[in-house]
Amino acid sequence: GQNIDQPTEMTATEGAIVQINCTYQTSGFNGLFWYQQHAGEAPTFLSYNVLDGLEEKGRFSSFLSRSKGYSYLLLKELQMKDSASYLCAARGNGQNFVFGPGTRLSVLP
Amino acid sequence: DVKVTQSSRYLVKRTGEKVFLECVQDMDHENMFWYRQDPGLGLRLIYFSYDVKMKEKGDIPEGYSVSREKKERFSLILESASTNQTSMYLCASSRQRGYGYTFGSGTRLTVV
């Protein structure tokens, strides 16, 4: 079957670094996406990994290990506006995405 | 910027009513999707479409149908609304299969 797992909630302090983990099981693998969703708003695209390794984009980085079925999103220099849910989504052979339950991140002053 | 517009942000409907949720995208995307989002369950795919007049069932199609008469518009229909269909409904589009999605702002539907 297909399954995505990520922590439900995390809390971190402004200015800190936080790592949100995601493990996935899909029929085949054709990429992993991370989305950010603020409360009451649409998810917005953050990053995409299809090869092993780290993709860096400003304060946000995403890592993928295909052999371990594992990804993480790393957020540096946390700001209050980073308080949101972070959705991990994997694409299998079927070309559609399977989404995880989302991790709600709270950034405290 | 690609825009995906959902016609209503909030809807309240009665059990048994027929409900239409409309979604329009303005960037000529081939693919459109309807998801529902529930706490702890994440986004679950209801229906999707890779072309005009084409539709495919997702993971939870029961109680729903869709219509795609024009490329830019993808409608979700609840034939007879039930309380377990109370949820946030998200429409998304993508340029090609497997590309990242652009989501609409969502419709929060409450069935009473």
Side-chain angles (χ1 to χ4, degrees):
Chain A
Q2 304 197 105
N3 188 56
I4 307 259
D5 221 0
Q6 50 182 132
T8 307
E9 293 193 32
M10 297 183 73
T11 303
T13 307
E14 198 174 11
I17 298 173
V18 71
Q19 178 174 312
I20 303 174
N21 295 324
C22 169
T23 56
Y24 64 88
Q25 284 177 302
T26 53
S27 301
F29 178 76
N30 284 294
L32 189 129
F33 285 69
W34 284 94
Y35 290 85
Q36 180 190 58
Q37 186 179 23
H38 285 100
E41 296 183 14
T44 54
F45 169 79
L46 281 180
S47 71
Y48 170 60
N49 294 72
V50 66
L51 299 176
D52 289 352
L54 190 68
E55 293 279 343
E56 297 190 71
K57 212 189 243 188
R59 292 190 300 115
F60 292 9
S61 304
S62 56
F63 171 83
L64 176 68
S65 168
R66 289 173 296 170
S67 61
K68 295 181 180 175
Y70 168 69
S71 173
Y72 67 72
L73 181 69
L74 192 72
L75 291 76
K76 301 176 193 172
E77 300 167 19
L78 278 174
Q79 301 175 10
M80 299 298 290
K81 67 179 182 179
D82 297 329
S83 292
S85 288
Y86 291 86
L87 311 180
C88 174
R91 178 159 59 96
N93 286 335
Q95 296 296 321
N96 289 336
F97 291 94
V98 178
F99 282 84
T103 298
R104 187 185 302 173
L105 174 66
S106 299
V107 180
L108 305 177
Chain B
D1 273 359
V2 177
K3 212 170 178 182
V4 178
T5 303
Q6 295 184 231
S7 51
S8 307
R9 288 299 298 268
Y10 300 95
L11 273 180
V12 180
K13 297 290 182 182
R14 294 194 181 279
T15 302
E17 274 194 80
K18 191 168 186 175
V19 182
F20 292 86
L21 303 183
E22 305 288 347
C23 175
V24 178
Q25 50 93 5
D26 65 0
M27 282 298 287
D28 203 36
H29 279 184
E30 299 289 333
N31 311 311
M32 297 188 75
F33 307 83
W34 274 106
Y35 285 86
R36 63 178 283 177
Q37 185 176 32
D38 300 288
L41 296 177
L43 275 72
R44 292 181 291 167
L45 182 62
I46 305 172
Y47 267 95
F48 61 99
S49 169
Y50 286 153
D51 202 353
V52 176
K53 296 195 186 291
M54 178 269 184
K55 59 187 177 186
E56 293 277 354
K57 292 180 180 178
D59 299 319
I60 51 163
E62 296 78 18
Y64 304 94
S65 62
V66 290
S67 171
R68 193 162 182 205
E69 295 296 317
K70 293 185 178 180
K71 191 175 186 180
E72 67 270 19
R73 186 180 296 269
F74 193 35
S75 303
L76 180 69
I77 303 155
L78 286 67
E79 297 290 342
S80 177
S82 63
T83 54
N84 63 12
Q85 292 178 310
T86 291
S87 186
M88 169 69 87
Y89 289 87
L90 286 165
C91 175
S93 72
S94 70
R95 182 156 54 96
Q96 292 180 24
R97 297 187 196 197
Y99 275 58
Y101 294 169
T102 299
F103 284 91
S105 297
T107 297
R108 186 166 292 282
L109 173 68
T110 302
V111 182
V112 298

